[in-house]
Structures are given as C-alpha cells and as structure tokens.
Amino acid sequence: MITDILTMMWKEARELFAQRTGLRGGWIGLLVLIAVFGVLMPLQSGAEWLSAPTTILLWAWVPFILVNSVVADSFAGERERHTLETLLASRLSDRAILFGKIGAAIVYGWGITLIGLLVALVTINIAHGEGELLLFPLQIGVTIVSLSFLIAWLAAGLGILVSLRAASVRQAQQTLSLAFLFLFIPLFLLPLLPDSLRDEVSRLVSGLDFQVLGIAFIASLLTVDLVLLAAAMKLFNRARLILSQP
Amino acid sequence: MSLYAIRTERLSRDFTAVRALDELSIEVATGSVFGFLGPNGAGKTTTIRLLLGLLEPTRGRAEVLGLDTQTQADSVRMQCGALLEHNGLYERLSAEDNLQFYSKVWRLPSPDRQVRIKELLTHLDLWERRKEPVVNWSRGMKQKLAMARALLHRPALLFLDEPTAGLDPAAAAKLRDDLADLVEQEGVTVFLNTHNLAEAERLCHQIGIIRQGKLLADGAPSELRAQAGNPQLIITGKGFTPQVIQQLLDRVEVLSADLQDHHLTIQLADGVETAALVSMLVGSGAQVEEVIKTHSSLEDVFLGLVNEDKDISEDVR
C-alpha cells in the first residue's frame, strides 16, 4: 500500500513538474511567493519577524494558496484528459490512488512552505544576524511547521472532495475559489460590525490564553482534516467516477 | 489453468431508463481471441467495464480468470491489461515516464523494468523518441504506446477497445501479427472490441455480435458465416436452357438456380465440389465464360443479424 501511494505521488509530481516547464509555466509564481514571504517580508520586519505571532498567521496561509493552485486538477484533470479510466482499470487500490493524490498535494504545498521558511531564516541571518545564529523560538517554529502541514492537508482534502465531483478542472477551480472566499468572510465582516460589538469581540479575544487557543485550533483543524479524508474515502467510488466521464 | 478465461451468466446492466447490457452469456476459451462486434452504443464498452470490475452488474454474474468480478475485482485487475476507448496516456509526460509509472503500478522489479520498457519501445519503433512528451505525437504513435503500456506486465488477459483505430495500415497489420504471436506463444487471451470486421475475421477464434445490449450471435467466424447462408455460384455465359436448369435442380447439392440475363445464380449445399457442376453444364451444351464462387463474409453476417434484429424490434413496437 505504501509503495503504491508513493508510486501515485511520483506520477503526480512528474505531471506537476512537466506542467511547470519554463518560467511562464508557473515557476515564476512560486518564485514571487518565496521572494515575498521568504525575502521581502523578513527584510522589512527585521529579527523580530522570527518571534512575532503574526508570522504564524502569514505562513499558515502559504500552503493553502499553494495546494489550492494544484489540487483542482487531481481527479477533474484526469477525467478531462481521459486518463482516469485507465488508472482505475489498473491494480492500484482506491486508497492508494486517493492517498497518493492527497499526499502529493500536501507534499507540494507544505514542502514549498518549508523551503520558504528556510529562505526566510537565511535572509534574517544575513541581514540581521550580526555573526549570531538567529532561529525561530521553539514554540513558534513547531507551531508554524505543524499548522502549515494541517492547513496543507485541509486544502488538499477540500480540493480532492471538490475535484472528485467536478466535471472539469475549471469547475473545480471555481468551486474552490468560492470556498476560499468563504473562509475569509469573517475577516470581511469584522469591520462591518457595530462598534460596540467589535469592542466586545476585541475584549473577548484579548482575554484568551493564546497557548490554549492555539492547541484548540490545531486540534479542531486535525479533526476537520480527518473528517475531510473520511468524506473523500466515502466519495471515492470507481463506478461513479467511470460513469461521470465526459 | 481454467478452461475459460471469461464466463458470464445473464450479465445485465441498466442505466436508469436504458438497458446497456441484456443477459449476456458468453464463454471465452483461455488463450483465444474473442472479437466483440456491434454498432456504437451496443454495450461493448459496458461489457469491458463490467468484466474489469469497474461497474457492478444489475443482474447476473461474470468470472474472469476464475475470479468473480464483483467480489474479487482487485485480483481481476491485477492480472489484466487494458487499452480502453481512450488511450489513457499522460500527455504531459514522456513515453518513458508513462511506462515507468505503470511499471511501478504493476510492481515490475526494478532491473526488469528498464529491460521491458526498452524491449517494447524498440519493438514498436518508439525507443528513439522515448524522452519526448507524448502530447506532440501522432495518434498512431500514441496508440502504439498505449498498447505497450497494456502489455508491460505480461497480463494473462488483454482487453482491447478498438486497438487499431488511428493506426496506418502497416502499423495495424503489425499490431495484428503481434497479437496473434502473443496468443500463440504466451497463451494470452484477448477480448477485442472492434468495428473492423476484416480485422475480426483475420484475428478472432470466436466472435460475438451484439446490438442494443443483446447478444445476437456467438461462435467461430466460420460457424457464423455458415449460419448466414450457403455458398453460391454465379456463372456467366449462354445456352442455359430450361432443360439445363432442370438438370441442375435435379441434383441434391443444388438448392436453387435462378437465371437473369446471362447470369445463372446457383445456391449450393455446404461443402459441394463445383467442378462437377461446371462440367455437367458444359456437357449439356452451355457456353460458360466465367464462374465465381462466393461465401457470405462476416460483414454479410453482421449486417444481416443487426438489420434483422432491428426489423424485429421495430415490428414489436
């Protein structure tokens, strides 16, 4: 099973890299992302950037954006390019195909996030190190790494669910864009709240224990990720996938 | 090894209001080529999907290589190769990467993998272009690569859906020869969906004709041809008097004789020597210019069965 998942991930990675040949094929987008999050922002913020809680929030969204950009293609792309039926007619089990596709999306999003983090660390050390090795405080470092992993998983799980049902890559991308907007609705709504209600929210938030809040958030995220994975496993049905082919 | 590679019993599949397959019962001998003929939408692709365990039957059952397609679908797929309606190639990848992926899927041992890929690509004249992305290839080249992928793991049973579509005549002939060799030398069973009647006639040991999900005929090509009608002689010449024709009709091997202008058409019983008949005609004073002996082709059989079934369906309505 593990070998089959790795085989599936190998194929997904080859396709992803084949798709991104040349700067115009998508590498430039990745380079810009790494340049902004790994070079520009650390340079502007200075050494405090390593220990600021906002850093966690910033890095948490990077894998979401990255995974979202590729995951729509997972099943909808195979369906559109007529490769799905041959794949389903192979000896690969349902789980190997599903986990391979989810795994590839997570590794892509999380892997590039980790590279970005390393670039940021190198930038801070070069610009502000003054001969001393600067690192993330342990708690923040662990939180960023685990949170970015869980967010990558969230985006992959959500994307796979949408891609499994979508008739085309375009449709999957549109649905995922809507989901993406939906996640930001609280941020858009906050400024629209009456002043009294906003003050109440601020009072509530400032009174919270961030450590407990962080743990609760990670635990909830893990639960949501597991629910999405279970839903994708339930939804993966060879007959349904075959019959939904164009 | 089981005597039959495929056995279906009243296999049926409904799609909401449409019956795609209606009580299909066939037996395909191990190491043979089974040709499945039928017009578009007849149920050929649905049959392959059912046999590979990709769809569940509404009724009936199927066994492939002695395994139940519903309860042992994974094991069925493990031993089968398939070239389906679409070639299923990852066009952004190179030919080599396509085969590398599927050789990993089929768990070919690492040292054998390269050898097998080289062997197949060389045989199909694709080795020199193995590093190129498939997207730029011609349809025929893609079809050959898809064939290589289907054969990669040396399957015991091969499902082919229109394998020569898009191939030039020389490549199609080579593929047919390769398939015949596979069956003869390695005992592979081939389930072939095709519209190409000449191909079916040349390659298949057994043929099934299907229309609107119903199996209309099943048997060896010679049996089907015999079912469709007896051989006939078309003789062109002069001097076919009523007495001469009566003499012909008196012979047991002659079923009927019909004279139109200078063309005498004689329906014969099966396995009749025609030389004696021609000698008799000449001996009776007829002047024979040309003799043509014809048999029903598979195309006649196919068209006859399909049209006959169509007429019956329309009458019932």
Short mmCIF file of all heavy atoms in Angstrom, two decimals, chain B residues 151-191:
data_model
loop_
_atom_site.label_atom_id
_atom_site.label_comp_id
_atom_site.label_asym_id
_atom_site.label_seq_id
_atom_site.Cartn_x
_atom_site.Cartn_y
_atom_site.Cartn_z
N LEU B 151 0.67 -4.05 -22.36
CA LEU B 151 1.41 -5.32 -22.39
C LEU B 151 2.54 -5.38 -21.37
O LEU B 151 3.14 -6.44 -21.16
CB LEU B 151 2.03 -5.53 -23.79
CG LEU B 151 1.05 -5.74 -24.93
CD1 LEU B 151 1.77 -5.71 -26.27
CD2 LEU B 151 0.32 -7.07 -24.76
N LEU B 152 2.82 -4.23 -20.75
CA LEU B 152 4.00 -4.07 -19.89
C LEU B 152 4.19 -5.21 -18.89
O LEU B 152 5.30 -5.74 -18.74
CB LEU B 152 3.84 -2.72 -19.16
CG LEU B 152 5.04 -2.03 -18.58
CD1 LEU B 152 6.09 -1.78 -19.64
CD2 LEU B 152 4.60 -0.69 -17.99
N HIS B 153 3.14 -5.57 -18.21
CA HIS B 153 3.26 -6.54 -17.10
C HIS B 153 2.90 -7.96 -17.52
O HIS B 153 2.67 -8.80 -16.67
CB HIS B 153 2.37 -6.09 -15.94
CG HIS B 153 0.94 -5.92 -16.31
ND1 HIS B 153 0.50 -5.00 -17.23
CD2 HIS B 153 -0.18 -6.56 -15.90
CE1 HIS B 153 -0.82 -5.08 -17.37
NE2 HIS B 153 -1.24 -6.04 -16.58
N ARG B 154 2.92 -8.20 -18.80
CA ARG B 154 2.60 -9.52 -19.38
C ARG B 154 1.29 -10.07 -18.80
O ARG B 154 1.28 -11.09 -18.10
CB ARG B 154 3.74 -10.51 -19.13
CG ARG B 154 5.03 -10.10 -19.80
CD ARG B 154 6.09 -11.18 -19.65
NE ARG B 154 7.23 -10.89 -20.47
CZ ARG B 154 8.25 -10.13 -20.09
NH1 ARG B 154 8.25 -9.60 -18.90
NH2 ARG B 154 9.27 -9.92 -20.89
N PRO B 155 0.18 -9.40 -19.07
CA PRO B 155 -1.09 -9.85 -18.49
C PRO B 155 -1.57 -11.17 -19.10
O PRO B 155 -1.24 -11.47 -20.25
CB PRO B 155 -2.06 -8.71 -18.85
CG PRO B 155 -1.48 -8.10 -20.08
CD PRO B 155 0.01 -8.24 -19.97
N ALA B 156 -2.36 -11.89 -18.31
CA ALA B 156 -2.92 -13.15 -18.81
C ALA B 156 -4.10 -12.88 -19.73
O ALA B 156 -4.42 -13.69 -20.60
CB ALA B 156 -3.35 -14.01 -17.63
N LEU B 157 -4.74 -11.75 -19.51
CA LEU B 157 -5.93 -11.38 -20.31
C LEU B 157 -5.83 -9.91 -20.71
O LEU B 157 -5.52 -9.06 -19.89
CB LEU B 157 -7.20 -11.62 -19.46
CG LEU B 157 -8.54 -11.17 -20.03
CD1 LEU B 157 -8.85 -11.82 -21.35
CD2 LEU B 157 -9.66 -11.49 -19.03
N LEU B 158 -6.07 -9.68 -21.98
CA LEU B 158 -5.91 -8.33 -22.52
C LEU B 158 -7.26 -7.84 -23.04
O LEU B 158 -7.88 -8.51 -23.87
CB LEU B 158 -4.90 -8.43 -23.66
CG LEU B 158 -4.14 -7.19 -24.11
CD1 LEU B 158 -3.45 -6.49 -22.97
CD2 LEU B 158 -3.11 -7.61 -25.16
N PHE B 159 -7.72 -6.69 -22.53
CA PHE B 159 -8.94 -6.07 -23.05
C PHE B 159 -8.54 -4.95 -24.01
O PHE B 159 -7.81 -4.03 -23.61
CB PHE B 159 -9.78 -5.48 -21.91
CG PHE B 159 -10.42 -6.53 -21.06
CD1 PHE B 159 -9.86 -6.91 -19.86
CD2 PHE B 159 -11.60 -7.12 -21.47
CE1 PHE B 159 -10.46 -7.88 -19.06
CE2 PHE B 159 -12.21 -8.11 -20.68
CZ PHE B 159 -11.63 -8.48 -19.48
N LEU B 160 -9.00 -5.02 -25.22
CA LEU B 160 -8.63 -4.01 -26.21
C LEU B 160 -9.90 -3.42 -26.82
O LEU B 160 -10.74 -4.16 -27.36
CB LEU B 160 -7.77 -4.63 -27.32
CG LEU B 160 -6.48 -5.33 -26.88
CD1 LEU B 160 -5.82 -6.00 -28.07
CD2 LEU B 160 -5.52 -4.34 -26.24
N ASP B 161 -10.01 -2.11 -26.72
CA ASP B 161 -11.18 -1.43 -27.29
C ASP B 161 -10.70 -0.65 -28.52
O ASP B 161 -10.04 0.37 -28.38
CB ASP B 161 -11.77 -0.48 -26.23
CG ASP B 161 -13.23 -0.19 -26.48
OD1 ASP B 161 -13.71 -0.46 -27.60
OD2 ASP B 161 -13.90 0.32 -25.56
N GLU B 162 -10.99 -1.16 -29.69
CA GLU B 162 -10.57 -0.54 -30.97
C GLU B 162 -9.07 -0.26 -30.99
O GLU B 162 -8.66 0.90 -31.14
CB GLU B 162 -11.34 0.76 -31.19
CG GLU B 162 -12.83 0.62 -31.30
CD GLU B 162 -13.27 -0.02 -32.61
OE1 GLU B 162 -12.48 -0.07 -33.56
OE2 GLU B 162 -14.41 -0.51 -32.66
N PRO B 163 -8.23 -1.27 -30.85
CA PRO B 163 -6.78 -1.00 -30.72
C PRO B 163 -6.13 -0.47 -31.99
O PRO B 163 -5.11 0.20 -31.91
CB PRO B 163 -6.20 -2.37 -30.37
CG PRO B 163 -7.16 -3.34 -30.95
CD PRO B 163 -8.51 -2.70 -30.83
N THR B 164 -6.71 -0.75 -33.16
CA THR B 164 -6.05 -0.30 -34.39
C THR B 164 -6.60 1.03 -34.89
O THR B 164 -6.19 1.51 -35.94
CB THR B 164 -6.18 -1.36 -35.51
OG1 THR B 164 -7.55 -1.70 -35.64
CG2 THR B 164 -5.37 -2.58 -35.22
N ALA B 165 -7.50 1.63 -34.10
CA ALA B 165 -8.05 2.94 -34.50
C ALA B 165 -6.90 3.95 -34.54
O ALA B 165 -6.14 4.07 -33.58
CB ALA B 165 -9.11 3.40 -33.51
N GLY B 166 -6.77 4.63 -35.65
CA GLY B 166 -5.73 5.66 -35.77
C GLY B 166 -4.40 5.14 -36.27
O GLY B 166 -3.47 5.93 -36.48
N LEU B 167 -4.28 3.85 -36.42
CA LEU B 167 -3.01 3.30 -36.94
C LEU B 167 -3.04 3.25 -38.47
O LEU B 167 -4.10 3.00 -39.06
CB LEU B 167 -2.78 1.88 -36.40
CG LEU B 167 -2.54 1.73 -34.90
CD1 LEU B 167 -2.27 0.27 -34.57
CD2 LEU B 167 -1.38 2.58 -34.43
N ASP B 168 -1.88 3.46 -39.09
CA ASP B 168 -1.83 3.31 -40.54
C ASP B 168 -1.91 1.82 -40.87
O ASP B 168 -1.69 0.97 -39.99
CB ASP B 168 -0.57 3.97 -41.11
CG ASP B 168 0.69 3.37 -40.55
OD1 ASP B 168 0.98 2.20 -40.90
OD2 ASP B 168 1.37 4.03 -39.76
N PRO B 169 -2.24 1.47 -42.11
CA PRO B 169 -2.47 0.05 -42.44
C PRO B 169 -1.30 -0.86 -42.07
O PRO B 169 -1.49 -1.97 -41.57
CB PRO B 169 -2.70 0.07 -43.96
CG PRO B 169 -3.21 1.43 -44.24
CD PRO B 169 -2.55 2.34 -43.25
N ALA B 170 -0.06 -0.36 -42.29
CA ALA B 170 1.11 -1.20 -41.97
C ALA B 170 1.22 -1.42 -40.47
O ALA B 170 1.46 -2.55 -40.01
CB ALA B 170 2.38 -0.53 -42.50
N ALA B 171 1.01 -0.36 -39.69
CA ALA B 171 1.11 -0.48 -38.23
C ALA B 171 -0.02 -1.36 -37.70
O ALA B 171 0.18 -2.16 -36.77
CB ALA B 171 1.06 0.89 -37.60
N ALA B 172 -1.21 -1.23 -38.30
CA ALA B 172 -2.35 -2.06 -37.88
C ALA B 172 -2.07 -3.53 -38.15
O ALA B 172 -2.34 -4.40 -37.31
CB ALA B 172 -3.61 -1.61 -38.60
N ALA B 173 -1.48 -3.81 -39.31
CA ALA B 173 -1.16 -5.20 -39.66
C ALA B 173 -0.11 -5.76 -38.71
O ALA B 173 -0.20 -6.91 -38.26
CB ALA B 173 -0.66 -5.26 -41.11
N LYS B 174 0.87 -4.91 -38.36
CA LYS B 174 1.93 -5.36 -37.44
C LYS B 174 1.33 -5.66 -36.05
O LYS B 174 1.68 -6.65 -35.42
CB LYS B 174 3.00 -4.27 -37.33
CG LYS B 174 4.25 -4.74 -36.62
CD LYS B 174 5.34 -3.69 -36.63
CE LYS B 174 6.55 -4.23 -35.87
NZ LYS B 174 7.16 -3.23 -35.02
N LEU B 175 0.41 -4.79 -35.64
CA LEU B 175 -0.23 -4.99 -34.33
C LEU B 175 -1.02 -6.30 -34.33
O LEU B 175 -0.97 -7.07 -33.36
CB LEU B 175 -1.13 -3.81 -34.00
CG LEU B 175 -1.87 -3.90 -32.66
CD1 LEU B 175 -0.90 -3.80 -31.50
CD2 LEU B 175 -2.91 -2.82 -32.55
N ARG B 176 -1.70 -6.56 -35.42
CA ARG B 176 -2.48 -7.81 -35.52
C ARG B 176 -1.54 -9.02 -35.44
O ARG B 176 -1.82 -9.99 -34.74
CB ARG B 176 -3.28 -7.85 -36.83
CG ARG B 176 -4.58 -7.08 -36.74
CD ARG B 176 -5.47 -7.42 -37.92
NE ARG B 176 -4.96 -6.90 -39.17
CZ ARG B 176 -5.24 -5.70 -39.65
NH1 ARG B 176 -6.03 -4.89 -38.98
NH2 ARG B 176 -4.74 -5.28 -40.79
N ASP B 177 -0.40 -8.93 -36.13
CA ASP B 177 0.58 -10.02 -36.07
C ASP B 177 1.10 -10.20 -34.66
O ASP B 177 1.25 -11.33 -34.17
CB ASP B 177 1.77 -9.73 -37.02
CG ASP B 177 1.35 -9.81 -38.48
OD1 ASP B 177 0.27 -10.37 -38.74
OD2 ASP B 177 2.10 -9.32 -39.34
N ASP B 178 1.39 -9.07 -33.99
CA ASP B 178 1.88 -9.13 -32.61
C ASP B 178 0.87 -9.81 -31.70
O ASP B 178 1.23 -10.62 -30.84
CB ASP B 178 2.18 -7.73 -32.08
CG ASP B 178 3.42 -7.13 -32.71
OD1 ASP B 178 4.19 -7.88 -33.33
OD2 ASP B 178 3.61 -5.90 -32.59
N LEU B 179 -0.39 -9.44 -31.89
CA LEU B 179 -1.44 -10.04 -31.06
C LEU B 179 -1.54 -11.55 -31.30
O LEU B 179 -1.66 -12.34 -30.37
CB LEU B 179 -2.79 -9.38 -31.34
CG LEU B 179 -3.01 -8.00 -30.73
CD1 LEU B 179 -4.35 -7.43 -31.16
CD2 LEU B 179 -2.96 -8.07 -29.21
N ALA B 180 -1.47 -11.91 -32.58
CA ALA B 180 -1.55 -13.33 -32.92
C ALA B 180 -0.37 -14.08 -32.28
O ALA B 180 -0.54 -15.17 -31.72
CB ALA B 180 -1.54 -13.51 -34.43
N ASP B 181 0.83 -13.47 -32.32
CA ASP B 181 2.01 -14.09 -31.69
C ASP B 181 1.84 -14.23 -30.19
O ASP B 181 2.21 -15.26 -29.60
CB ASP B 181 3.27 -13.25 -31.97
CG ASP B 181 3.70 -13.35 -33.42
OD1 ASP B 181 3.18 -14.24 -34.13
OD2 ASP B 181 4.54 -12.53 -33.85
N LEU B 182 1.30 -13.17 -29.58
CA LEU B 182 1.09 -13.19 -28.12
C LEU B 182 0.20 -14.37 -27.71
O LEU B 182 0.48 -15.07 -26.74
CB LEU B 182 0.36 -11.92 -27.69
CG LEU B 182 1.13 -10.79 -27.06
CD1 LEU B 182 0.19 -9.65 -26.75
CD2 LEU B 182 1.81 -11.24 -25.79
N VAL B 183 -0.86 -14.52 -28.47
CA VAL B 183 -1.82 -15.58 -28.17
C VAL B 183 -1.16 -16.95 -28.37
O VAL B 183 -1.28 -17.85 -27.53
CB VAL B 183 -3.08 -15.42 -29.05
CG1 VAL B 183 -4.03 -16.59 -28.87
CG2 VAL B 183 -3.78 -14.11 -28.73
N GLU B 184 -0.44 -17.06 -29.48
CA GLU B 184 0.16 -18.35 -29.82
C GLU B 184 1.32 -18.71 -28.90
O GLU B 184 1.41 -19.83 -28.42
CB GLU B 184 0.63 -18.29 -31.27
CG GLU B 184 0.79 -19.66 -31.91
CD GLU B 184 1.22 -19.51 -33.36
OE1 GLU B 184 0.46 -18.89 -34.11
OE2 GLU B 184 2.32 -20.00 -33.70
N GLN B 185 2.21 -17.74 -28.65
CA GLN B 185 3.42 -18.06 -27.89
C GLN B 185 3.26 -17.95 -26.39
O GLN B 185 3.88 -18.68 -25.63
CB GLN B 185 4.56 -17.14 -28.36
CG GLN B 185 5.03 -17.48 -29.77
CD GLN B 185 5.84 -16.35 -30.38
OE1 GLN B 185 6.34 -15.48 -29.69
NE2 GLN B 185 5.95 -16.37 -31.69
N GLU B 186 2.46 -17.01 -25.93
CA GLU B 186 2.36 -16.80 -24.48
C GLU B 186 1.00 -17.20 -23.90
O GLU B 186 0.78 -17.07 -22.70
CB GLU B 186 2.68 -15.34 -24.13
CG GLU B 186 4.12 -14.97 -24.49
CD GLU B 186 4.48 -13.53 -24.13
OE1 GLU B 186 3.96 -13.02 -23.14
OE2 GLU B 186 5.28 -12.95 -24.87
N GLY B 187 0.11 -17.65 -24.76
CA GLY B 187 -1.19 -18.13 -24.28
C GLY B 187 -2.08 -17.04 -23.71
O GLY B 187 -2.98 -17.31 -22.91
N VAL B 188 -1.83 -15.81 -24.13
CA VAL B 188 -2.64 -14.69 -23.63
C VAL B 188 -4.03 -14.77 -24.26
O VAL B 188 -4.18 -15.16 -25.41
CB VAL B 188 -1.96 -13.34 -24.01
CG1 VAL B 188 -2.84 -12.16 -23.66
CG2 VAL B 188 -0.61 -13.22 -23.34
N THR B 189 -5.04 -14.41 -23.47
CA THR B 189 -6.40 -14.32 -24.00
C THR B 189 -6.67 -12.86 -24.35
O THR B 189 -6.29 -11.97 -23.59
CB THR B 189 -7.42 -14.79 -22.95
OG1 THR B 189 -7.00 -16.07 -22.46
CG2 THR B 189 -8.82 -14.89 -23.52
N VAL B 190 -7.32 -12.65 -25.48
CA VAL B 190 -7.59 -11.27 -25.90
C VAL B 190 -9.10 -11.08 -26.07
O VAL B 190 -9.76 -11.87 -26.74
CB VAL B 190 -6.87 -10.92 -27.23
CG1 VAL B 190 -7.20 -9.50 -27.67
CG2 VAL B 190 -5.36 -11.09 -27.08
N PHE B 191 -9.61 -10.04 -25.43
CA PHE B 191 -11.02 -9.64 -25.61
C PHE B 191 -10.98 -8.36 -26.43
O PHE B 191 -10.52 -7.33 -25.95
CB PHE B 191 -11.67 -9.40 -24.25
CG PHE B 191 -13.15 -9.17 -24.30
CD1 PHE B 191 -14.04 -10.20 -24.02
CD2 PHE B 191 -13.67 -7.94 -24.63
CE1 PHE B 191 -15.42 -9.99 -24.06
CE2 PHE B 191 -15.05 -7.71 -24.69
CZ PHE B 191 -15.92 -8.75 -24.40
#
